[in-house]
Amino acid sequence: MILLRGSRTRRRRLGVVTAAGGLLAALLTASPAAAIPDPGDSPAAQKEVSSSDRAEAREAIENGEIPGQDEVVHSDNIRHVANIPKDALSGTNSDLAFQGRYAFAGNYDGFRIFDISNPKAPETVAQVLCPGSQNDISVSGDLLFLSTDSSRSDSSCNSTTQPATEKSSWEGMKVFDISDKRNPRYVAAVETACGSHTHTLVPERKNVYVYVSSYSPNAAYPDCRPPHDGISVIKVPRKAPHKAAVVGFPVLFPGEGPDGGGNPGAPTNPGVSKTTGCHDITVLPSRDLAAGACMGDGILFSIKDPERPKVIDRVQDNVNFAFWHSATFNQKANKVVFTDELGGGGGATCNAEIGPNRGANGIYDIVGKGDRSKLVFRSYFKIPRHQADTENCVAHNGSLIPVRGRDLMVQAWYQGGVSVWDFTNSSKPREIAYFERGPLTTDRITTGGSWSAYYYNGYIYSNDIAKGFDVLKIDDRRTDPARWVHMRELNVQTQPDYFD
């Protein structure tokens, strides 16, 4: 049962579990390699809000309509079992990946490795200082991949920021050897056009293909000029990662004109992002499928030939979707959940003014088979709890909770917290559990909250931008069967077949 916002007396404050220490791994450098300033998902500067918004936030707290500042609230079926505050890496926390007993947490200053053998008391194994915007993270075997989406002076981990207009600037993919989790080694750097905002792995036995998503070209950027209507594909030999290289740039939005054939955005479609690349891609290797969230477009494509992905279908929502951000397949691969990051992650969009259909998830059924498959819209889902106008809140990163016969998902909503919801009925999705903190402040918008919330081997792990690494436990008959599904590795954007 979910706690109602009005029943303040039923809320419980939970203690915070901390883990001290951490090992700062030795850093190696790679040769210089090009550039674009960090677009989207960037930590926004604090923004003042009106006196009336400040008063409304404080009144809502006093009336029990929203949690108090930093107060932890949750539904009865979720427990907060651990929190590890940020340590040596003080930047914005970002994405998560998992392997065996380890969790890998991205941060704009580098990445952190946790030993989660005991999820109630995670221990820091290593912290690697390697600044670069996003630092989207994934792992495969002995390799760790890190995205850099800000212009740097070179590809080393001690680089400095540098204008995108400088030809010598670098951004792209970094590769680390993590065979020794306590001492990751930087082994390769690959420059990609317009950097790497996010990336997705398509693993094979001998190689790992990396789909690099980036966007926002500019004629003034030597290494990121329009049209930029596709993705970079990198091939990384597992036994020789230093030979990693770009092997193609498949065009996903062919068309006439300087920006290719994607959504033109304003003024044709006011309030919608112009498509100049993709933000994020999720692959389902067991079905040779991928779903792309590409700014103004959502796409479904085949990856039978990983170096030459082929678009099967493409959809737009020029009424309610501002920025197609990410995608998740259901287990049967007959649905895709797309998210809309209205406001770029820095806006307060979980309120009555914005409403339930914007800054939300869009649920699409996949109708038909093979190359004739079509994406058919069914409904929107947004958390049903309004947030203060000082809280950045919008749909963000989440994963399936693997239960046969049900479509269940856990998802981050920045300061809207962590939501568990059921979309088994595509037309009638509903929330079944939640966890959140009260606003960071009540007088300005300060970017915070859960960036990524993923289910892994019986627990939910959340990387909170400001508060650190959270571990949650859900106890609910609908999700309980997932406890028996254990993965050896999980990169959420490389979606596994949980029951294969």
Side-chain angles (χ1 to χ4, degrees), residues 1-14:
M1 185 171 74
I2 296 177
L3 299 182
L4 300 177
R5 271 334 224 354
S7 58
R8 189 176 180 81
T9 57
R10 297 177 62 195
R11 294 194 180 126
R12 292 172 291 171
R13 290 180 183 270
L14 298 185

Side-chain angles (χ1 to χ4, degrees), residues 55 130 159 183 265 293 299:
C130 196
S159 66
N183 293 285
I299 59 174

